[in-house]
């Protein structure tokens, strides 16, 4: 592995702080590196491989489609794309779909659609502090975390950020020029922060009162992660536009923007496009993912094991409350929030867990984020929580 990592450092631009492992195989919740070390994966490629690594039905769909047709561009119709869009419409608030390759691209499409849909001169978008919406210039501007912006200014104009949880502050940022509010129902990268139900309902109300669009970024929490197919379902509201991506293809690159007929009508041929977006192989994978997620009992299982993970993590957090402020999350996205005085140890905690063969991710600087595959078992949760307890109980030694 050392040789491979050295070669990698020679040829790659240094944009990633990687863990020292060259992953070669995955099955379910387990990964194996090139030296034969095994890992229990509670990161799942940042909430992407939700059905677990190399899910047999997804692999089969990919192989079958690869033998038939891989790419024709969006100048022609393809069967997997039509099937996928149909399923997304049937299982959401939406009537119309645009397929992209990634999360940021789905958000770019949403931002462009919101601007096109609005009166001329209405282009401003309000999002939240602590949000994460992507790395392209517009989605970066929408991202409410300054440190991601540094060095890339000037960013596209018209993006404003309201303090998290403050409805009247958000109200004040809405002007005659605002076209949309862009929100994650649960902030993932920002530190596993769910929005209060009344807060998001209040945001919906503000959008209605001002005749502007509510765009929900469910790139991380859509596709079953929170225990419902989309997170918005648990808030009793509907967005005007929703974006999703990460888990949609269980690892194949794909993103989707879903919207209503009324909003969709603002886009015509030539207004937006992508060469690769909605390619047949990614769509075949995504169709299989969706069918699995909506199959009998699957989402109920996510909810049950999510509650169990929450409860087990909370008992660790309570026991070591000198280090932990608590646990928050919905379904199978859960985070242990560290107290400020140990927050600087967060990266070391994640590294230590890696050394013990458990993969988790850091979010919002001081939150240990767990996003296991949605097929994770109670035994795997127990094994992971035991390791977390081991590391946190020895936090002073970390
Ligand atoms: C990951 C993520 C994105 C960006 O998706 P990419 O596929 O990395 O472009 C945008 N929004 C949220 C909420 C995300 O978690």
């Amino acid at each position: 592995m050392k040789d491979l990592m050295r070669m990698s450092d020679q040829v790659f631009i240094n944009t990633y702080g990687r863990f020292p492992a060259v992953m070669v195989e995955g099955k379910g919740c387990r990964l194996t590196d090139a030296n034969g070390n095994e890992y229990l994966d509670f990161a799942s490629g940042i909430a992407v491989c939700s059905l677990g690594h190399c899910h047999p039905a997804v692999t089969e769909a990919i192989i079958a489609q690869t033998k038939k047709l891989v790419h024709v561009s969006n100048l022609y119709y393809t069967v997997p794309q039509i099937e996928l869009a149909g399923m997304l419409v049937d299982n959401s608030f939406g009537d119309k779909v645009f397929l992209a390759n990634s999360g940021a691209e789905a958000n770019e499409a949403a931002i462009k659609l919101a601007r096109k849909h609005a009166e001329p001169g209405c282009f401003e978008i309000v999002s939240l502090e602590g949000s994460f919406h992507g790395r392209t210039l517009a989605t970066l501007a929408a991202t409410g975390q300054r440190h991601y912006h540094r060095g890339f200014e000037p960013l596209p104009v018209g993006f404003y950020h309201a303090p998290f949880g403050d409805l009247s502050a958000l109200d004040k940022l809405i002007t005659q020029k605002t076209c949309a509010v862009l929100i994650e129902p649960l902030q993932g990268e920002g530190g596993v922060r769910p929005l209060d139900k009344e807060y998001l309902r209040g945001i919906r109300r503000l959008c209605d009162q001002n005749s502007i669009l509510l765009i929900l970024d469910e790139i991380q929490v859509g596709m079953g992660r929170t225990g419902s197919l989309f997170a918005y379902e648990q808030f009793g509201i509907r967005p005007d536009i929703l974006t999703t991506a990460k888990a949609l293809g269980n690892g194949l690159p794909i993103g989707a923007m879903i919207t209503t007929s009324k909003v969709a009508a603002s886009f015509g041929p030539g207004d937006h496009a992508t060469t690769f977006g909605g390619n047949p192989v990614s769509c075949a994978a995504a169709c299989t993912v969706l069918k699995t997620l909506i199959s009998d009992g699957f989402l109920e299982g996510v909810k049950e094991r999510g509650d169990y993970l929450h409860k087990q993590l909370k008992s660790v957090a309570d026991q070591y409350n000198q280090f932990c402020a608590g646990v928050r999350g919905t379904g199978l996205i859960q985070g242990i929030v560290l107290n400020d005085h140990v927050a600087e140890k967060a990266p070391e905690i994640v590294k230590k867990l890696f050394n013990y063969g458990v993969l988790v991710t850091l979010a919002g600087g001081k939150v240990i984020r767990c996003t296991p595959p949605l097929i994770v078992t109670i035994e795997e949760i127990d094994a992971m929580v035991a390791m977390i307890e081991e590391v946190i109980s020895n936090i002073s030694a970390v």
Side-chain angles (χ1 to χ4, degrees):
M1 265 192 340
K2 281 232 163 68
D3 291 340
L4 283 165
M5 291 189 280
R6 200 175 315 119
M7 272 168 61
S8 174
D9 290 344
Q10 274 171 18
V11 293
F12 274 105
I13 297 173
N14 186 25
T15 55
Y16 301 108
R18 299 188 207 257
F19 291 88
V22 181
M23 299 301 185
V24 290
E25 258 183 72
K27 192 167 193 287
C29 297
R30 307 264 165 187
L31 278 171
T32 308
D33 72 19
N35 283 3
N37 302 307
E38 265 214 8
Y39 303 85
L40 183 55
D41 186 5
F42 270 60
S44 42
I46 320 184
V48 167
C49 298
S50 277
L51 298 186
H53 295 283
C54 301
H55 185 278
V58 178
T59 301
E60 200 177 302
I62 293 169
I63 292 170
Q65 187 56 45
T66 304
K67 286 181 177 167
K68 254 192 230 159
L69 185 67
V70 172
H71 176 83
V72 292
S73 87
N74 285 301
L75 293 173
Y76 312 97
Y77 297 93
T78 66
V79 176
Q81 199 179 76
I82 298 166
E83 194 190 344
L84 176 61
M87 272 200 281
L88 287 170
V89 165
D90 286 346
N91 290 285
S92 75
F93 73 98
D95 312 305
K96 301 278 184 181
V97 174
F98 179 88
L99 294 173
N101 303 290
S102 67
E105 283 175 78
N107 277 345
E108 283 279 344
I111 291 165
K112 285 179 72 177
L113 179 59
R115 285 188 173 188
K116 190 96 196 315
H117 182 70
E119 298 291 319
C122 289
F123 59 88
E124 293 178 359
I125 293 191
V126 183
S127 54
L128 293 186
E129 286 176 5
S131 62
F132 182 84
H133 298 296
R135 304 284 197 154
T136 62
L137 284 172
T139 59
L140 196 60
T143 293
Q145 299 186 66
R146 263 300 119 69
H147 66 274
Y148 287 116
H149 296 177
R150 239 167 263 138
F152 302 111
E153 295 94 349
L155 294 175
V157 296
F159 292 89
Y160 298 88
H161 305 104
F164 186 95
D166 187 340
L167 195 60
S168 69
L170 185 107
D171 191 13
K172 288 199 187 85
L173 287 173
I174 296 173
T175 73
Q176 293 298 322
K177 291 183 185 168
T178 306
C179 67
V181 173
L182 169 60
I183 302 278
E184 297 160 85
L186 177 157
Q187 291 188 342
E189 301 305 305
V192 192
R193 281 204 286 186
L195 267 66
D196 183 74
K197 193 168 176 177
E198 282 314 308
Y199 178 42
L200 187 50
R201 293 170 76 104
I203 294 174
R204 173 72 269 183
R205 212 174 317 117
L206 279 183
C207 289
D208 291 339
Q209 285 162 1
N210 291 281
S211 303
I212 57 175
L213 301 182
L214 174 61
I215 307 171
L216 288 185
D217 178 343
E218 295 212 16
I219 288 164
Q220 186 157 155
V221 298
M223 307 314 296
R225 178 57 56 187
T226 63
S228 48
L229 187 59
F230 296 106
Y232 75 82
E233 298 166 30
Q234 297 180 43
F235 291 85
I237 56 141
R238 286 159 166 242
D240 300 294
I241 301 177
L242 178 142
T243 53
T244 192
K246 285 190 165 81
L248 181 54
N250 206 52
L252 262 70
I254 183 163
M257 169 176 73
I258 305 170
T259 188
T260 59
S261 295
K262 182 167 174 271
V263 176
S266 298
F267 263 179
D271 281 337
H272 196 54
T274 158
T275 301
F276 294 114
N279 86 81
V281 181
S282 291
C283 287
C287 285
T288 307
V289 170
L290 249 174
K291 278 181 203 153
T292 308
L293 293 178
I294 61 177
S295 65
D296 269 356
F298 190 96
L299 292 170
E300 287 78 5
V302 172
K303 225 173 186 60
E304 280 165 24
R305 281 168 287 117
D307 288 347
Y308 182 76
L309 174 63
H310 183 94
K311 194 178 90 200
Q312 299 307 99
L313 289 176
K314 189 168 180 308
S315 92
V316 174
D318 287 348
Q319 195 181 342
Y320 298 98
N321 61 7
Q322 69 272 40
F323 305 129
C324 304
V327 177
R328 60 191 183 209
T330 313
L332 281 169
I333 178 164
Q334 298 288 340
I336 295 195
V337 186
L338 298 175
N339 281 328
D340 285 336
H341 71 97
V342 286
E344 62 183 26
K345 297 202 178 198
E348 282 304 309
I349 291 171
V350 173
K351 191 131 181 253
K352 194 111 191 185
L353 283 164
F354 167 84
N355 291 334
Y356 284 142
V358 173
L359 307 184
V360 293
T361 49
L362 190 58
K366 57 172 184 181
V367 179
I368 313 292
R369 173 178 47 178
C370 302
T371 50
L374 304 181
I375 54 153
V376 70
T377 63
I378 296 287
E379 293 71 34
E380 285 161 337
I381 291 173
D382 287 342
M384 183 273 177
V385 171
M387 283 304 182
I388 284 245
E389 177 164 10
E390 167 80 16
V391 172
I392 288 185
S393 64
N394 288 302
I395 212 165
S396 349
V398 164

